[in-house]
Amino acid sequence: QVHLVQSGGGLVQAGGSLRLSCAASGRTFSSYAMGWFRQAPGKEREFVAVISGSGGSTLYADSVKGRFTCSRDNAKNTVYLQMNSLKAEDTAVYYCAACRMYDSSLTPRSVYEYAYWGQGTQVTVSS
């Protein structure tokens, strides 16, 4: 069982930056790939980024590539999403999620692969 608690988010002007954090409980954090997803009003939850359990691999959605950076600190059981050059279309509720992986290099992208979810945090980008 993994419990995820998110922090960060808020209101920012277009072009600004925000950092989201997601702290996990448990002693096997490095066994979990950690993903970030977002959901805008009236839309389905979509993949944003993922980092492998080892931290050696990351994948990003094309819409955020080059602007967002996902990182993790396994000693602190925490994953981060640094969001730069924010756009109005980045406005959404952002969720972190954990996926138990037996290969620490894998980076799952499907929402259906993740069993544990954070509470969500609102990110609003004003244009």
Side-chain angles (χ1 to χ4, degrees):
Q1 191 78 7
V2 176
H3 184 57
L4 303 176
V5 178
Q6 297 179 225
S7 59
L11 174 64
V12 66
Q13 289 188 331
S17 297
L18 285 173
R19 189 176 83 156
L20 305 183
S21 299
C22 175
S25 64
R27 295 176 293 177
T28 58
F29 183 62
S30 61
S31 298
Y32 291 83
M34 297 299 297
W36 289 96
F37 295 80
R38 67 187 181 186
Q39 189 166 18
K43 295 188 176 181
E44 292 187 351
R45 193 167 298 188
E46 66 174 4
F47 168 77
V48 174
V50 59
I51 186 165
S52 62
S54 66
S57 299
T58 53
L59 283 177
Y60 299 93
D62 287 344
S63 58
V64 307
K65 201 172 295 183
R67 300 188 297 121
F68 290 12
T69 302
C70 185
S71 61
R72 66 190 295 159
D73 185 339
N74 284 348
K76 295 182 178 179
N77 280 17
T78 302
V79 62
Y80 307 96
L81 185 68
Q82 177 67 42
M83 305 183 292
N84 299 329
S85 303
L86 283 161
K87 305 175 181 179
E89 51 263 44
D90 294 318
T91 296
V93 176
Y94 283 70
Y95 298 89
C96 66
C99 175
R100 183 75 163 88
M101 303 299 297
Y102 293 96
D103 182 338
S104 63
S105 67
L106 296 181
T107 49
R109 297 182 59 175
S110 170
V111 65
Y112 300 106
E113 297 183 86
Y114 288 82
Y116 305 102
W117 291 84
Q119 80 275 20
T121 187
Q122 178 70 47
V123 170
T124 303
V125 184
S126 63
S127 58

